[in-house]
Amino acid sequence: MMPPTEPASSDPSGLIRLLRDGRQWSVSELAATTGVARSTVSQRLDMLSALGLISRAEPGSSTGGRPPKRVALLADARLVLAFDIGASHAHVGVASITREILAHRRIAIDIAAGPDHVLGQVTEVADDLLDGLGRDRSVVLATGVGLPGPVHAATGRPVRPPIMPGWDGYDVPGWLHSRDGIPAFVDNDVNLAALGEHDRFGVGVDNFLYVKVATGIGAGIISGGMLLRGAQGIAGDIGHVRVSRGEGVFCSCGNEGCLEALAAGPAIARSLREAGIEVTSSREVVARVDAGDVNAIQAVRQAGRDLGEVLSASISFLNPSVIAIGGRMAGAGEHLIAGVREVVYRRAMPLATVGLEIRTARSGERAGLMGATALAADHALSPAGLLALAARQHV
Amino acid sequence: MMPPTEPASSDPSGLIRLLRDGRQWSVSELAATTGVARSTVSQRLDMLSALGLISRAEPGSSTGGRPPKRVALLADARLVLAFDIGASHAHVGVASITREILAHRRIAIDIAAGPDHVLGQVTEVADDLLDGLGRDRSVVLATGVGLPGPVHAATGRPVRPPIMPGWDGYDVPGWLHSRDGIPAFVDNDVNLAALGEHDRFGVGVDNFLYVKVATGIGAGIISGGMLLRGAQGIAGDIGHVRVSRGEGVFCSCGNEGCLEALAAGPAIARSLREAGIEVTSSREVVARVDAGDVNAIQAVRQAGRDLGEVLSASISFLNPSVIAIGGRMAGAGEHLIAGVREVVYRRAMPLATVGLEIRTARSGERAGLMGATALAADHALSPAGLLALAARQHV
């Protein structure tokens, strides 16, 4: 069926996706596999070659005939930067254009210090990492940035982010681009984590839900193979869905009974303190679960049930085949998942749970960084990205 | 960003969408507006012409120069059939390839009579409607079919539909195609109603939710411009999401507290009967609301609140900008919507409701038929559809 609008694809021919595997390809193989005309493939390769992004190898001939030239993406001839910015820390990475993270550092930040300060910090670390690799900004094609709040994806500007004073409407891509001339792309951190987890551990799964349970709770949704953003870029913002256990429990948003107010890390820690157990952070809750503390296990399992209630509804809306649960609290492993499963299998329709896998996310705390890398690499190697690079290099 | 998979588009160039407006176009205008090469546009037009789908007009020249030939789609040279099949009635339509419904009839059916019987009934009515228009099956390019249950969209086979004995896994497109050689495309009726309402009254809105409230409750979701289907084709199946008022209210699905068991037409009628008011159908409930019966108004408003609870969660997941509520109970007008709004504005996050419009669907009971028409016309005019037609006509 014709979709009402056609989503833009940055790799319409699928050529880059093939080259990304690191193998050597001939023009004929690329044309046959993508279904694109040989002449178009050749043109595209000429451009990649002129930009220094591919190598052409003339393999030694053993048959006497003229063997075809073979091409391969020069994975780290050019690089991308990835910033996964949270409320109190940021991950900074330098990656190859084939999405391999070559260097990575986690730093403490304060998001409330404002964009100028925080962006200054992360770009300084990026320079340092580049330096350590013996490279500099001149080989960087794009920067991908995740922020802990709603982002208008087309412009990269935060949209009334609740925990980010000074960032509302701020031109994050503009700040980064004016510093070093490198194009930057920004999205919500949970969307990027969903992209990262999907890119690595959800390949071939078109209906995928990533849920982050940490200081807050949010989800990134891939449906029909596309990342959903919604009208204001806040699709997946599930922390404030009301849960049945929530009567009388007030949330920082001003409402009552929000999922986040019952099942995020701070809420679990609070419920344990109310039972006389001194824990101050999600990390301590997870440590107690690991140590077999039955109160902590029960509290985490109950949080899983609350989350399961909201995810049961999400299954009715979205009918995913995989739900991956990440974030600090996913460190509590099977106890959180067990609570989720308990409610989902009781509440959701049998048909929706037949092929449904609910599991812990595998990419850990680097999910967001992997997603920011994917975002940057995709843009860098898109037709628009390559044209911009050609202009920059006067090719 | 590169989507993990690229959804198929049946009109990649957007050419058909331009021609659909009924205006006369020159090749240059089409090439300039679509961004497709003139030669490609010409090839495509030659094919449409050979298939008898477009007219070429040589406008009288007044300037002395040679004015360009202009082309227009011959809207009703070829037709499509649309079947919107419900549990107890079906809408049968004959439409132009520009989606104008030329003839339409509503008939009583019994879905439980099985596919052979029901498809026999609707195709007979279609023949009769064609006859009334002085046409026959030879000019029909495609058939679009909506069914009241989950459908695997790629194969057109129902997937364990709860109210359709004998239909599970049945090859509906195969039955229709073997009868008359016309390709058929099948989807869930609510998805098609969403498509129909969006096609006519949601143009330019990329994040759109259509909710049908009748004997059951279901939703069709358009997100990022795409109709969401989910892993088993049951995305939007919201009738069995639990609502807070649902304790002790049992649903036909075997669960407790489902939205449908509290807020669908039969549930509202039952609640009125419990208050001593004799109503047996949704239609009678709507009539009482129209007549100003305060008990009926209160019951409908409460159903709106239950629905609002579920839609509040959907807003967190999907962040739509328009929610259109259709189906028989939407006939109760502002009372149902008022209940929905009351809860949504209390529960949903302010940012998500800033630009949100919640309104009654405008396409009435023909929404599904309009969607089935769009489905058929899109397929008929897709490159694959045109190639199939060329083969059929030995062009």
Side-chain angles (χ1 to χ4, degrees):
Chain A
M1 174 185 333
M2 183 174 68
T5 67
E6 288 159 37
S9 164
S10 58
D11 182 26
S13 64
L15 190 68
I16 297 293
R17 222 174 314 167
L18 294 181
L19 289 170
R20 243 173 52 198
D21 72 357
R23 276 181 52 205
Q24 295 201 328
W25 292 80
S26 73
V27 173
S28 307
E29 286 166 357
L30 288 169
T33 311
T34 59
V36 172
R38 268 185 71 96
S39 57
T40 308
V41 171
S42 289
Q43 274 175 26
R44 199 87 191 277
L45 292 177
D46 286 345
M47 186 171 188
L48 293 172
S49 182
L51 295 171
L53 294 173
I54 57 170
S55 66
R56 300 193 189 240
E58 192 106 37
S61 162
S62 60
T63 63
R66 214 186 65 180
K69 278 192 184 163
R70 302 187 78 77
V71 299
L73 209 56
L74 284 167
D76 53 5
R78 302 308 174 95
L79 304 173
V80 297
L81 301 181
F83 303 145
D84 179 26
I85 299 175
S88 59
H89 60 270
H91 293 268
V92 178
V94 176
S96 72
I97 52 176
T98 51
R99 308 180 182 197
E100 193 193 344
I101 295 171
L102 305 173
H104 162 234
R105 192 180 299 161
R106 182 180 191 275
I107 59 165
I109 60 148
D110 176 12
I111 194 80
D116 207 57
H117 187 76
V118 172
L119 294 173
Q121 281 181 287
V122 293
T123 48
E124 202 171 295
V125 172
D127 282 345
D128 204 38
L129 293 175
L130 281 168
D131 203 45
L133 292 166
R135 315 292 290 272
D136 63 32
R137 288 184 204 166
S138 68
V139 297
V140 176
L141 295 187
T143 304
V145 185
L147 292 177
V151 174
H152 184 249
T155 61
R157 291 173 188 261
V159 185
R160 282 179 259 181
I163 59 161
M164 300 170 64
W167 291 77
D168 186 20
Y170 192 83
D171 183 9
V172 176
W175 191 98
L176 290 165
H177 185 264
S178 71
R179 174 179 171 272
D180 49 25
I182 300 167
F185 304 92
V186 187
D187 206 333
N188 168 267
D189 58 350
V190 183
N191 280 351
L192 290 188
L195 200 66
E197 176 79 10
H198 182 264
D199 196 46
R200 194 74 70 90
F201 302 109
V203 175
V205 174
D206 277 352
N207 295 280
F208 182 88
L209 203 60
Y210 173 88
V211 184
K212 180 178 176 181
V213 186
T215 307
I217 297 180
I221 303 165
I222 290 170
S223 182
M226 302 285 298
L227 187 63
L228 301 192
R229 300 174 189 284
Q232 274 104 356
I234 54 172
D237 198 358
I238 64 170
H240 302 279
V241 174
R242 184 172 191 149
V243 293
S244 58
R245 197 168 64 97
E247 205 171 317
V249 180
F250 293 91
C251 180
S252 60
C253 76
N255 234 322
E256 185 185 1
C258 298
L259 173 63
E260 204 163 282
L262 283 116
I268 300 174
R270 195 191 58 233
S271 77
L272 286 174
R273 284 198 302 277
E274 284 168 7
I277 300 160
E278 265 322 303
V279 285
T280 55
S281 69
S282 303
R283 197 184 290 272
E284 283 177 36
V285 173
V286 172
R288 282 191 174 261
V289 168
D290 283 346
D293 179 328
V294 67
N295 288 295
I297 290 173
Q298 282 174 358
V300 166
R301 183 155 180 144
Q302 180 55 48
R305 289 189 195 105
D306 297 330
L307 180 58
E309 198 177 312
V310 174
L311 292 182
S312 298
S314 84
I315 291 166
S316 296
F317 285 107
L318 299 162
N319 184 207
S321 62
V322 175
I323 297 179
I325 300 178
R328 168 95 16 97
M329 289 312 304
E334 288 306 306
H335 300 294
L336 187 72
I337 301 281
V340 170
R341 287 195 183 120
E342 181 186 323
V343 174
V344 164
Y345 287 110
R346 187 169 74 229
R347 286 298 319 161
M349 292 291 283
L351 180 56
T353 56
V354 166
L356 177 66
E357 184 191 355
I358 302 173
R359 61 167 174 79
T360 305
R362 295 178 189 143
S363 42
E365 66 165 354
R366 278 167 64 166
L369 196 70
M370 287 162 51
T373 299
L375 182 68
D378 278 344
H379 276 289
L381 297 176
S382 71
L386 295 174
L387 282 171
L389 177 61
R392 222 167 106 193
Q393 297 191 172
H394 311 293
V395 168
Chain B
M1 173 185 335
M2 185 174 65
T5 65
E6 288 159 34
S9 166
S10 58
D11 182 26
S13 62
L15 191 69
I16 297 293
R17 222 174 315 167
L18 293 181
L19 288 170
R20 242 172 54 197
D21 73 355
R23 274 181 52 205
Q24 294 201 328
W25 292 81
S26 72
V27 173
S28 308
E29 287 167 355
L30 288 169
T33 310
T34 59
V36 172
R38 268 187 71 98
S39 56
T40 308
V41 171
S42 289
Q43 273 174 27
R44 199 85 194 277
L45 292 177
D46 285 344
M47 186 172 187
L48 293 172
S49 182
L51 294 171
L53 294 173
I54 56 170
S55 65
R56 300 193 189 242
E58 193 106 38
S61 162
S62 59
T63 63
R66 213 185 66 180
K69 277 189 184 168
R70 303 186 78 77
V71 300
L73 209 57
L74 284 166
D76 55 4
R78 303 308 172 96
L79 304 173
V80 297
L81 301 182
F83 303 146
D84 178 27
I85 298 175
S88 60
H89 60 269
H91 292 268
V92 178
V94 176
S96 71
I97 51 176
T98 51
R99 310 180 180 197
E100 192 193 344
I101 295 171
L102 305 173
H104 162 236
R105 192 179 301 162
R106 184 181 191 276
I107 59 166
I109 61 147
D110 176 13
I111 195 80
D116 207 58
H117 187 77
V118 172
L119 294 174
Q121 281 181 288
V122 294
T123 48
E124 200 171 297
V125 172
D127 282 346
D128 203 39
L129 293 176
L130 281 169
D131 203 47
L133 293 165
R135 317 292 289 272
D136 62 36
R137 288 183 203 167
S138 68
V139 296
V140 177
L141 295 187
T143 304
V145 184
L147 292 177
V151 173
H152 184 248
T155 61
R157 292 174 189 259
V159 184
R160 282 180 259 182
I163 59 161
M164 299 169 65
W167 291 77
D168 186 19
Y170 192 84
D171 183 8
V172 176
W175 191 100
L176 290 165
H177 185 264
S178 71
R179 175 177 170 272
D180 49 26
I182 300 166
F185 305 91
V186 188
D187 205 332
N188 168 266
D189 57 351
V190 183
N191 280 351
L192 290 188
L195 199 68
E197 176 78 11
H198 181 265
D199 195 49
R200 194 76 69 91
F201 301 109
V203 175
V205 175
D206 277 351
N207 295 279
F208 182 87
L209 203 61
Y210 173 88
V211 184
K212 181 178 175 181
V213 186
T215 308
I217 297 179
I221 303 165
I222 289 169
S223 182
M226 302 284 297
L227 187 63
L228 301 192
R229 299 174 190 283
Q232 274 105 355
I234 54 173
D237 198 359
I238 64 170
H240 302 278
V241 174
R242 185 169 189 150
V243 293
S244 58
R245 195 168 64 97
E247 204 171 317
V249 180
F250 293 91
C251 179
S252 60
C253 76
N255 235 322
E256 186 185 0
C258 297
L259 174 63
E260 203 164 285
L262 284 117
I268 300 174
R270 195 192 56 234
S271 76
L272 286 174
R273 283 197 303 276
E274 283 167 8
I277 299 159
E278 266 322 304
V279 285
T280 54
S281 68
S282 303
R283 197 183 291 271
E284 284 177 35
V285 174
V286 173
R288 281 190 175 260
V289 169
D290 284 346
D293 178 328
V294 69
N295 288 294
I297 290 172
Q298 282 174 358
V300 166
R301 184 153 181 147
Q302 181 55 48
R305 290 189 195 106
D306 298 329
L307 180 58
E309 200 178 312
V310 174
L311 292 182
S312 298
S314 84
I315 291 165
S316 295
F317 285 106
L318 298 162
N319 183 207
S321 62
V322 174
I323 297 179
I325 300 178
R328 168 94 18 98
M329 287 312 303
E334 289 307 306
H335 300 293
L336 187 72
I337 301 280
V340 171
R341 288 194 183 123
E342 181 186 323
V343 174
V344 164
Y345 287 109
R346 187 170 73 230
R347 287 297 321 162
M349 294 289 285
L351 180 56
T353 55
V354 166
L356 177 66
E357 184 192 355
I358 301 173
R359 61 167 173 80
T360 304
R362 293 177 190 144
S363 42
E365 66 166 353
R366 278 168 64 166
L369 196 70
M370 286 163 51
T373 299
L375 182 67
D378 278 344
H379 275 290
L381 297 176
S382 72
L386 295 174
L387 281 171
L389 177 61
R392 222 167 104 194
Q393 294 191 176
H394 313 292
V395 169

